[in-house]
Amino acid sequence: MAPSNTVRWSPPLWGGISSTPSVSPLATCRSHSTPSSASTLLASAFVPATVSSSPNNAAKPSSDNSPLHARKPHSAEWINLLSPDTYSPSSSGSPPSLPGKIVPPRSGGVAFSMSNDGGGCNLFYFAGYAEIASGGASTPPERFVVNDLWQFAPYQDDSSPWGWREVKHPSTQNFIPGPRLATALAVLPSKGKDTLAVLLGGWDPQIPGTGGVILEDVSVLNVETMEWSEPISMEEKGREATIPGGPTSRHVALPIRICDVEGAEKDLILLHNHRCQNFVQLLSMDSSENSENNLYAKWTLQSTKGECPSSRGLHCAAQIVSSTSNITKGVVIFGGAAKDGNMSNEVFFLDVHSWTWTKLDCAGKRDIDDSNNKNGEGIVRGMPSPRAGACLCPLDEYSVLLFGGAEPSEEGLRGLNDLWVLQVDVENGKGRWECLIPSETRNQSDSRPSGRNAATLTRIDPKGLLPKYLWEKTLGDSFYILQGGWYPFLHTYDDVFVLRVSSSSS
């Protein structure tokens, strides 16, 4: 049976920086104490932060309230947007226009999406660790941290440019967040106001040999004006807001919508990092005290109860939202790594109304050794292996989607490209994993992404973003875009894949 708790592993997850201090990466071990300073987190590893506010026109989640065994199975398909074979022939017979790529390729950045007025969605990517290939096999590639912003331009016709393009900031822009990776970002919906993308902390490696600096800043991108700003602390007027407890990286942040005691809806950002044992941090943004066009940020320490995740980073998280009210039911946290080097495949659910943690029992079926099958897959597990740096995304009001990450092996870190659905039954403390696509160990092709961690997988509304013939017959399905990531120590990816997920009831 696949292990349900931890696997011991020592080497760092991130080998692109030779100057990091000799501190082992975070892992899951309940016996060690919470790190007392940010320096204990400065290991050469990071987690990607993929956060999206669910587009209004995205596929509606199922309202099936049946037990786990009765829920519908899912299927998935990868679509390679950089392959000419993906597209229908143009009316002129000329090759289709392929989407633009983010250059240079990078990993460890953040991606986010939100609905737009045209009935589709806007998709962005910020920061990360860029890689430029060297001139020879014996020369390592050049890697450096960046702070550029990219937007995915929608498809119009076969001859018009589309895909990723760099955003040029307004000439009046006086502030842009510095380069970083291992950061997190969450989007607060507009509700009649400007949509805000809130960037939280991260790691800037800076000059080789220094170990760099872990960040504690809070930065806000106004998606309507494309201008960055630094919100003012509501607790310390006149000072820029920072993350409570000090610098943080390898954390997760995501938007939640809850109701207060009077029934009014509140949009908040939930942050979970290595310090969060019996609490989480909640961030609200306010412009009501606006005298000089400033935003105000207020942090609240929200106490929690129940069995919470042990101190960790490199984990991933996704919210589960009600299909009828758009109120957040809870947050799922998966995997990660702790200070002593152990990786985890544990799953926790946080009810954001009672603020109660539940560790889900996700015991899977016996592993099947399918290493000789024609598709070249290896072990087909009943549950995902312990890993770090994976992607976790909302699927419906009972399920989340897991892709990739890095797991330990005898040869070192192995990049994964398996795809899973986790169906959650909080009332009974259960979860059920469904493997949609096993991890591929050989016979790599351009029909699916290679194994990787530190990628982003972001839910999109395909209407207005992708060619119509790629989605018009499958509007009941869920669509995601995979961007970047790297196979540890070997390669950073610049491919662009779309993932389509459907259920038998779609």
Side-chain angles (χ1 to χ4, degrees), residues 175 193-194 196 220 222 228-234 236-241 284-297:
F175 165 75
K193 300 180 181 180
D194 292 342
L196 304 177
V220 177
N222 184 315
W228 289 97
S229 63
E230 296 176 283
I232 304 300
S233 171
M234 198 170 290
E236 301 178 76
K237 299 293 177 61
R239 297 187 59 182
E240 287 84 10
S284 60
M285 306 297 297
D286 185 17
S287 58
S288 61
E289 300 184 39
N290 184 352
S291 59
E292 297 179 356
N293 246 2
N294 288 324
L295 279 171
Y296 289 84

Side-chain angles (χ1 to χ4, degrees), residues 7 13 40 176 189 234 277 302 326 414 427 432 440 485:
V7 166
L13 280 173
T40 61
I176 297 176
M234 198 170 290
Q277 292 293 279
Q302 174 62 56
N326 286 325
R414 177 190 294 123
E427 290 186 3
R432 187 183 73 181
E440 186 178 51

Side-chain angles (χ1 to χ4, degrees), residues 52-102:
S52 65
S53 59
S54 300
N56 293 334
N57 297 311
K60 294 297 183 182
S62 166
S63 59
D64 179 12
N65 198 28
S66 56
L68 291 179
H69 64 81
R71 295 193 188 153
K72 306 298 183 182
H74 299 82
S75 61
E77 174 191 17
W78 286 107
I79 304 169
N80 185 355
L81 292 186
L82 297 182
S83 172
D85 296 337
T86 295
Y87 304 93
S88 299
S90 65
S91 57
S92 64
S94 60
S97 172
L98 300 180
K101 302 186 294 184
I102 294 179

Side-chain angles (χ1 to χ4, degrees), residues 5-15 23-29 43-46 250 313-314 336-344 386-389 405-415 453 486 488-489:
N5 43 25
T6 60
V7 166
R8 176 64 187 168
W9 176 76
S10 297
L13 280 173
W14 179 255
V23 181
S24 60
L26 299 175
T28 55
C29 177
S44 50
F46 65 80
R250 303 156 181 87
L314 308 168
K339 180 182 177 182
D340 63 4
N342 286 324
M343 287 188 186
S344 167
R387 65 189 66 192
E407 68 175 0
S409 72
E410 293 182 357
E411 296 78 27
L413 272 179
R414 177 190 294 123
N453 71 323
W486 85 321
F489 302 96

Side-chain angles (χ1 to χ4, degrees), residues 199-268:
L199 181 73
L200 300 167
W203 175 35
D204 179 2
Q206 297 188 334
I207 301 173
T210 66
V213 60
I214 296 180
L215 306 169
E216 62 180 1
D217 56 344
V218 178
S219 304
V220 177
L221 176 67
N222 184 315
V223 181
E224 273 66 42
T225 65
M226 299 310 297
E227 292 187 330
W228 289 97
S229 63
E230 296 176 283
I232 304 300
S233 171
M234 198 170 290
E235 293 81 12
E236 301 178 76
K237 299 293 177 61
R239 297 187 59 182
E240 287 84 10
T242 57
I243 297 173
T248 192
S249 66
R250 303 156 181 87
H251 51 303
V252 294
L254 61 172
I256 62 171
R257 176 173 292 176
I258 60 176
C259 292
D260 62 19
V261 292
E262 297 177 352
E265 294 182 359
K266 297 173 60 177
D267 288 304
L268 305 168

